[in-house]
Amino acid sequence: MLRGLYDWTLSLAARKSAEWWLAFIAFVESSVFFIPADVLFLPMALARPERAYRYALTATAASVLGGIAGWLIGYYAYDTIARPILEHFGGIATFEKWQSSGTGLMLVLLVTSGVAHLPPIKVVTILAGALHINLVVFIVSAILARGARFLLLAWLLRRYGEPIREFIEKRLGLIVGAGAAALILLYILVKYAF
């Protein structure tokens, strides 16, 4: 079923309404959807490189708005909506562990999630709301993290074209994930060393 959903999402890139679909997928990815907006963004930016930055801005704006929706779910509807979603994604134990960590770790997670999908952005946005992270701080962090991701992808695709696609799809997540792990380790060292 997940493969069918992936293929359907990818097929949207060829439609005239692709940019609207990109906005929709980026929005729901940040709160409840399984497939990252990259699946649609990458082929769109490769097909129309002159629009890559426009697509990046569309995906960023929609993703941040979806993140706000996830934050609202966590903030106002934790027991009725957020908890079942977190249980479905296996994030409830993690949430309970992070609940006492506060804003610092949450911001690191938001950045790493926005940049590398580690952990999934939908889990982090819901957690941020449930932890009552300041909404303005959340929005600024989401803009920076998601904007950096989509603008970097747009730049790479414009500069290197089709050859970079395989690299992005297979290795970029791993490289950024390693950087995210280093950020988390640095946070833990700073928090417990001082």
Side-chain angles (χ1 to χ4, degrees):
M1 179 179 153
L2 195 56
R3 180 64 192 187
L5 188 58
Y6 176 87
D7 291 339
W8 173 79
T9 304
L10 189 58
S11 75
L12 298 174
R15 297 184 184 182
K16 281 186 173 183
S17 58
E19 194 166 358
W20 289 103
W21 281 109
L22 175 62
F24 176 74
I25 298 296
F27 179 89
V28 296
E29 174 207 359
S30 293
S31 50
V32 294
F33 198 51
F34 299 103
I35 306 296
D38 306 54
V39 171
L40 194 52
F41 175 78
L42 292 174
M44 286 174 62
L46 284 170
R48 310 265 321 254
E50 72 281 2
R51 290 190 176 186
Y53 290 114
R54 175 180 163 170
Y55 296 151
L57 293 175
T58 297
T60 299
S63 181
V64 171
L65 291 173
I68 293 169
W71 185 93
L72 291 170
I73 290 170
Y75 192 90
Y76 291 107
Y78 177 73
D79 289 327
T80 56
I81 298 174
R83 186 174 181 84
I85 290 172
L86 291 171
E87 287 172 345
H88 175 75
F89 287 110
I92 197 69
T94 304
F95 170 76
E96 291 168 353
K97 202 178 348 173
W98 289 341
Q99 195 167 12
S100 62
S101 297
T103 304
L105 180 60
M106 194 73 238
L107 292 176
V108 170
L109 292 173
L110 182 61
V111 170
T112 60
S113 176
V115 174
H117 299 297
L118 299 169
I121 188 77
K122 66 197 84 7
V123 173
V124 176
T125 61
I126 292 169
L127 287 172
L131 291 173
H132 298 246
I133 300 299
N134 180 288
L135 183 58
V136 174
V137 171
F138 172 82
I139 291 170
V140 169
S141 300
I143 290 169
L144 293 174
R146 298 304 275 179
R149 176 184 180 75
F150 288 117
L151 290 170
L152 174 63
L153 290 174
W155 179 79
L156 288 170
L157 292 168
R158 293 248 352 215
R159 178 146 173 96
Y160 299 106
E162 184 66 38
I164 197 69
R165 181 180 183 179
E166 182 181 332
F167 176 83
I168 290 171
E169 290 178 346
K170 292 186 178 177
R171 294 178 190 90
L172 188 61
L174 181 63
I175 292 167
V176 175
L183 274 175
I184 291 172
L185 181 62
L186 179 64
Y187 169 80
I188 292 169
L189 289 173
V190 168
K191 180 173 180 169
Y192 294 108
F194 299 105

